[in-house]
Amino acid sequence: MLLFSGLAAAYAAFRIAPGFGREELVLEDIDDPAGFRRLTAGQSSSGFDPFVGLEPQKNNDDLEAARVRVRQNICAALYYDRPTTADEVPVASFSDYYCPFCRVQTRRLAEMEARQEGEIRVSWHELPLLGETSTLAAKAALAARNQGAYPAFHERLMRSPFRATPEYLQALANAIGVDHVRLVADMNGEEVLEDLENSAALARIFAFVGTPAMVIGRTVVQGEVSERTVQAIIKREREEGWGSVCRVA
């Protein structure tokens, strides 16, 4: 695995030996956060400290506050405190628009969610680790959410061959029917920055080393994994009651 020391560095792909066999998932309990467990497998685009892109705008006290904030209710931070049922397993997906493995995994998760309504629900987290264009794209997608256009922005950015630039984002906003002036204003607002801080804090708490990453119920997964593996984890989470950690009513 290659690690990087600056925003301008290129990223590299790496493979981590799977922690499961063909028949059985091998999961290891983690001490912190309590109640969660880890499966490390698949391919990732390695990045930097998840807070690095936020540091010019926020001081260390603010970043520590983000960690405190999400620790108050980790499940609510992961899954956006959306109500669910015991049969519906939540998935928190962390991705970067310019991580090639993220493009595969986010498409896979979106297709699974559409096919398995009532069985799986995905909460999307922006974790821009691969430079300034990643951060720009993440801010634009989160700002588009204020106009009800997050899914459209997210999908277009994930499949676009173009890098995010102010000009490209304006063209995309116009194509989707988003108010570009409001989008730019919201991109630099406190709500978007807090959302990025929360996702970065979760990434540090769960010790993610790159994207994509997921938390499925109470199972932490680093890297792109097959649909078979995701389905196996969801099945186990449903059988074992992931709500024992996340206190589902």
Side-chain angles (χ1 to χ4, degrees):
M1 182 181 66
L2 297 179
L3 297 178
F4 299 96
S5 60
L7 285 172
Y11 64 85
F14 67 91
R15 182 179 294 274
I16 304 175
F20 58 92
R22 292 182 62 84
E23 302 290 334
E24 182 180 3
L25 296 170
V26 179
L27 305 174
E28 179 182 0
D29 289 339
I30 57 180
D31 294 331
D32 184 33
F36 288 85
R37 57 198 179 182
R38 185 180 305 277
L39 168 73
T40 303
Q43 299 186 94
S44 300
S45 291
S46 180
F48 327 106
D49 186 304
F51 282 125
V52 71
L54 304 174
E55 286 173 352
Q57 300 175 61
K58 287 287 183 178
N59 61 40
N60 289 335
D61 289 342
D62 293 317
L63 301 179
E64 179 59 29
R67 286 191 286 269
V68 171
R69 185 167 60 238
V70 301
R71 278 190 178 276
Q72 290 176 349
N73 190 334
I74 285 183
C75 290
L78 281 171
Y79 305 125
Y80 298 142
D81 206 18
R82 293 154 58 190
T84 186
T85 67
D87 292 330
E88 187 177 53
V89 177
V91 177
S93 172
F94 294 77
S95 61
D96 183 303
Y97 288 109
Y98 302 110
C99 150
F101 306 112
C102 296
R103 294 190 174 208
V104 175
Q105 187 147 287
T106 55
R107 182 173 64 250
R108 180 180 295 135
L109 289 175
E111 290 173 352
M112 289 176 60
E113 185 178 40
R115 290 198 314 268
Q116 298 172 237
E117 185 177 357
E119 299 178 15
I120 174 177
R121 190 200 65 215
V122 182
S123 298
W124 305 102
H125 289 266
E126 304 295 340
L127 189 61
L129 299 177
L130 300 177
E132 294 179 358
T133 53
S134 292
T135 300
L136 189 64
K139 287 182 175 181
L142 291 172
R145 183 179 56 193
N146 293 343
Q147 300 184 54
Y150 177 82
F153 244 76
H154 181 79
E155 180 184 1
R156 291 285 290 271
L157 286 167
M158 271 296 175
R159 61 185 174 87
S160 173
F162 301 109
R163 288 271 171 175
T165 64
E167 294 76 18
Y168 173 72
L169 293 176
Q170 181 173 5
L172 181 55
N174 292 340
I176 294 176
V178 166
D179 183 331
H180 178 252
V181 174
R182 180 183 173 188
L183 181 79
V184 171
D186 289 346
M187 284 173 63
N188 298 304
E190 285 296 317
E191 183 179 352
V192 165
L193 187 57
E194 182 172 305
D195 198 298
L196 289 173
E197 287 176 358
N198 288 349
S199 294
L202 288 166
R204 180 172 284 186
I205 289 167
F206 286 104
F208 295 148
V209 296
T211 53
M214 293 183 289
V215 183
I216 305 173
R218 61 190 182 95
T219 300
V220 181
V221 182
Q222 174 68 65
E224 182 208 341
V225 294
S226 68
E227 180 173 337
R228 180 181 66 84
T229 299
V230 175
Q231 296 282 22
I233 296 172
I234 289 172
K235 181 174 183 292
R236 180 174 290 193
E237 290 291 327
R238 186 177 294 114
E239 291 173 348
E240 296 180 356
W242 63 270
S244 62
V245 172
C246 288
R247 302 180 300 279
V248 176

